[in-house]
Amino acid sequence: MVTKTKRTGRPPGASDNRDRILEAARAEFAAKGFRGATTRSIAEAAGVNVALLAHYFGNKRQLFAATLDLPEAVRDEMARATSGDLDTTAESLTRTYLGLWENPATRDQLLATVRSGLSSEEAIEPLRDLLAGALHSAANLDPRREAGLALAMSHLLGTAIARHLTGVGPLGTIPFDELVNRVTPAVQVHLSPR
Amino acid sequence: MVTKTKRTGRPPGASDNRDRILEAARAEFAAKGFRGATTRSIAEAAGVNVALLAHYFGNKRQLFAATLDLPEAVRDEMARATSGDLDTTAESLTRTYLGLWENPATRDQLLATVRSGLSSEEAIEPLRDLLAGALHSAANLDPRREAGLALAMSHLLGTAIARHLTGVGPLGTIPFDELVNRVTPAVQVHLSPR
DNA sequence: TGATGATGTCAACAGATGATTACTTGTGCT
DNA sequence: AGCACAAGTAATCATCTGTTGACATCATCA
């Protein structure tokens, strides 16, 4: 009987352990927040020794930061959605932002950001960026419009929370397009000049 | 020198320790969420021995539950705000809900509910109630209006988060009345028949 | 007065948790 | 071949965390 004896030291061949840790960490942070996800639970989910997390990422906080790194493309997408004429970008902004939450490739990062950022003061920065990023990318913004854009983003965040975290009423199940159609007019109210 | 030697056993006179624990717990849960607040940090904030928490409340979760008990009056207030004609209660609902967040007597409970409910799946019920409570109290609700009310509540939650947790843009500082005036029209959009 | 329960302290346990250290083995370069 | 480094493991530490049990003192009421 050829027992696959557990060996120590570096195993032969290539390894995707780094990526697997990153993916497992994303899922864990998304499900339980920064505090709730433990290094051991992440390591187990990744099928990896705990000490390997420190080897690749230093410590838990740095792993968390690496986890939240959104692809360049996503940032560009958000920037574009708010860079046009505010009077007519309500649907574009709504569809882009809520679409990020529908996309499996980015949803975990958003979940992790919200779960961790809201659970205490210490991990709030990424969440603030998520909301204020739109404000900054709309650089040439009339100060009188700033509050309107902030309120539009708040509405979108609240909607995403209700749909993907709490699942209140029919919001968790209605089709994406209907959701966009319903939210867009309210967002438009905030983006229009007063 | 009369050293005030630490005595054991029940001290003479009355005691408000139970209430002080409750208040300290509210503040701690509001600031750090369920996981972030530790029994020891609560006890220290209350100036009380850790074991006393268990004596009065059993365990941490039960203390948390006691912390979230909103006064009857507040529940009634919320129920009234959504019980009228939906077409004309936008401002009433907006003012009532956002007003709860302005009130120091109830803000900590709302903060604790949001921080703890969003940080993981385990404490999500109180948060769901906070959102869906409005739905249930509006019992005789046209199913076609349900999504609208849910979206209105989502907007209010998002607004409260932006104002009281993340402090995005001018939302954290603008006067309460201006906030209500800005949010009401968007809420109205959701409450109006389509 | 005496019994009973409420209030409070102390010490400690058992498990979880993040991090570190020493050590082993493969890879790539010269 | 020899060497530096990357990848990986095991063991362990120090601390934090929720909870418990034994005990001490006071208040209340018959």
Side-chain angles (χ1 to χ4, degrees):
Chain A
M1 176 179 172
V2 190
T3 44
K4 191 165 51 175
T5 49
K6 199 71 173 181
R7 296 209 321 149
T8 175
R10 177 176 186 169
S15 160
D16 58 342
N17 278 343
R18 202 194 131 97
D19 288 336
R20 299 184 48 190
I21 292 173
L22 217 42
E23 275 177 47
R26 247 191 279 270
E28 286 286 307
F29 285 136
K32 310 179 193 169
F34 180 74
R35 275 208 162 82
T38 69
T39 55
R40 282 173 172 82
S41 74
I42 293 170
E44 189 182 10
V48 143
N49 190 289
V50 200
L52 212 51
L53 309 206
H55 177 58
Y56 279 120
F57 298 96
N59 59 32
K60 189 185 179 184
R61 183 157 293 276
Q62 288 172 276
L63 171 59
F64 181 65
T67 282
L68 292 192
D69 247 351
L70 278 176
E72 191 80 19
V74 172
R75 298 188 181 280
D76 291 351
E77 203 178 345
M78 282 299 296
R80 258 199 313 281
T82 51
S83 64
D85 180 4
L86 277 191
D87 298 351
T88 58
T89 51
E91 174 171 352
S92 163
L93 177 61
T94 302
R95 186 173 292 278
T96 301
Y97 185 86
L98 293 183
L100 255 35
W101 285 84
E102 304 292 317
N103 185 352
T106 51
R107 182 171 48 210
D108 274 358
Q109 285 160 312
L110 296 173
L111 277 171
T113 302
V114 171
R115 282 237 161 84
S116 307
L118 258 39
S119 67
S120 107
E121 298 284 355
E122 49 184 0
I124 208 172
E125 277 309 321
L127 176 60
R128 187 169 290 142
D129 286 348
L130 190 64
L131 278 166
L135 266 58
H136 294 146
S137 63
N140 50 354
L141 184 62
D142 183 342
R144 286 175 300 180
R145 308 285 286 273
E146 200 184 352
L149 183 49
L151 281 172
M153 294 304 297
S154 304
H155 189 3
L156 294 176
L157 175 65
T159 303
I161 290 175
R163 179 172 172 85
H164 297 280
L165 273 85
T166 61
V168 160
L171 258 41
T173 52
I174 66 175
F176 178 63
D177 283 333
E178 187 187 338
L179 182 68
V180 172
N181 287 341
R182 279 177 170 277
V183 173
T184 295
V187 169
Q188 183 67 63
V189 166
H190 287 310
L191 294 188
S192 298
R194 310 185 74 204
Chain B
M1 176 179 172
V2 190
T3 44
K4 189 165 54 174
T5 49
K6 200 72 176 181
R7 295 209 322 147
T8 173
R10 178 177 186 168
S15 160
D16 59 342
N17 278 342
R18 201 194 132 97
D19 288 337
R20 299 185 48 189
I21 291 173
L22 217 42
E23 275 177 46
R26 247 191 280 270
E28 286 286 308
F29 286 136
K32 310 179 193 171
F34 179 75
R35 276 210 161 82
T38 70
T39 55
R40 282 174 172 83
S41 74
I42 293 170
E44 188 183 11
V48 142
N49 189 289
V50 201
L52 211 52
L53 310 206
H55 177 59
Y56 279 120
F57 298 96
N59 59 32
K60 188 185 178 183
R61 181 156 295 276
Q62 287 171 275
L63 171 58
F64 180 64
T67 282
L68 292 193
D69 247 351
L70 278 176
E72 191 80 20
V74 172
R75 298 186 180 282
D76 291 352
E77 203 179 344
M78 282 298 298
R80 258 200 313 280
T82 51
S83 64
D85 180 2
L86 278 191
D87 298 352
T88 58
T89 51
E91 175 171 353
S92 164
L93 177 61
T94 301
R95 186 173 293 278
T96 301
Y97 185 86
L98 293 184
L100 256 35
W101 285 85
E102 304 292 317
N103 184 352
T106 51
R107 182 171 46 209
D108 274 357
Q109 286 159 313
L110 296 174
L111 277 172
T113 302
V114 171
R115 281 238 161 84
S116 307
L118 259 38
S119 68
S120 101
E121 298 285 354
E122 49 184 358
I124 208 171
E125 277 309 320
L127 176 60
R128 188 169 289 144
D129 287 348
L130 190 64
L131 277 167
L135 266 58
H136 295 146
S137 63
N140 51 355
L141 184 62
D142 184 341
R144 285 174 301 181
R145 309 285 286 272
E146 199 184 351
L149 183 51
L151 281 172
M153 296 304 299
S154 303
H155 188 181
L156 294 175
L157 175 65
T159 302
I161 289 175
R163 180 171 173 86
H164 297 280
L165 273 88
T166 60
V168 160
L171 257 42
T173 52
I174 65 176
F176 178 64
D177 283 334
E178 186 187 338
L179 183 68
V180 172
N181 288 340
R182 280 177 168 276
V183 173
T184 296
V187 169
Q188 183 67 65
V189 165
H190 287 309
L191 294 187
S192 298
R194 309 186 73 203

